[in-house]
Amino acid sequence: MKAKIVTGVLAAAVLAVTTGTASATTSYWMRVSGHFSPPNAFVASSALTYDKGLVPPASSIQVAQHGTESGMTVSMRVWGLVPGHKYGAHVHQKSCGADPEAAGGHYQNVVDPKRVTAENELWLDFTADADGNGKAKVHKKWGVRPGGAGSIVIHDKPGASGDRVACFSVPFTSIS
């Protein structure tokens, strides 16, 4: 029981590698995991659920990011959500907070309120399987700006909008 109560980041790693070739290539990777808990939980968590019906406390999330000078891939896995439900998920500008709006707006490669599209943003929409598990992956030919992305927000429906039902603070990284 105590193991399920433990919340927050389970594991995080960031690694940058430069090869010794004539045209050096730098790459990075990051992976972080957590268990969702309500914002008012006794033990603070980097994974918050705002709708316990759609994202139950103790359900889990893992986010990984890998990048090089030619682009990046962000992947997400979730466990323990509502079987068969279609969720939206997007990278947002800021870290999570008790108020679902604390994460700010969607991260955009080209900041433009008229370009709320999957091509200009990092969308990770998914449908939970029969066990309530889901996954999504997106690859972009660009990377995030340093300090420009701080979380993944899970929405109650796929697409550009929907109610914010959960948030996971993520230490996104980039090549600077």
Side-chain angles (χ1 to χ4, degrees):
M1 179 68 175
K2 286 185 180 182
K4 285 191 174 186
I5 294 174
V6 175
T7 59
V9 175
L10 295 177
V14 177
L15 175 68
V17 179
T18 304
T19 61
T21 61
S23 61
T25 301
T26 301
S27 66
Y28 59 89
W29 66 268
M30 173 278 305
R31 182 177 304 174
V32 62
S33 301
H35 292 288
F36 289 101
S37 68
N40 60 352
F42 182 70
V43 178
S45 176
S46 58
L48 301 175
T49 178
Y50 307 118
D51 183 330
K52 294 184 257 182
L54 288 176
V55 181
S59 55
S60 303
I61 186 168
Q62 181 180 79
V63 174
Q65 177 192 22
H66 175 261
T68 66
E69 288 124 348
S70 61
M72 74 169 172
T73 300
V74 175
S75 60
M76 176 186 73
R77 296 186 67 180
V78 294
W79 297 270
L81 302 186
V82 175
H85 190 84
K86 295 179 181 183
Y87 294 86
H90 311 99
V91 173
H92 279 245
Q93 299 166 354
K94 301 176 185 174
S95 296
C96 307
D99 178 353
E101 298 300 316
H106 293 181
Y107 176 87
Q108 294 186 311
N109 181 43
V110 176
V111 180
D112 181 352
K114 295 179 182 175
R115 290 186 65 187
V116 180
T117 64
E119 292 74 31
N120 191 40
E121 300 179 351
L122 294 157
W123 292 14
L124 295 154
D125 295 354
F126 65 96
T127 300
D129 67 15
D131 295 320
N133 306 329
K135 61 184 176 179
K137 182 187 292 190
V138 63
H139 178 78
K140 298 294 181 179
K141 292 185 179 181
W142 41 267
V144 297
R145 292 178 297 283
S151 62
I152 289 185
V153 172
I154 298 176
H155 297 268
D156 64 343
K157 62 183 180 183
S161 63
D163 290 339
R164 297 175 186 207
V165 297
C167 185
F168 182 46
S169 294
V170 177
F172 287 102
T173 191
S174 62
I175 295 175
S176 39

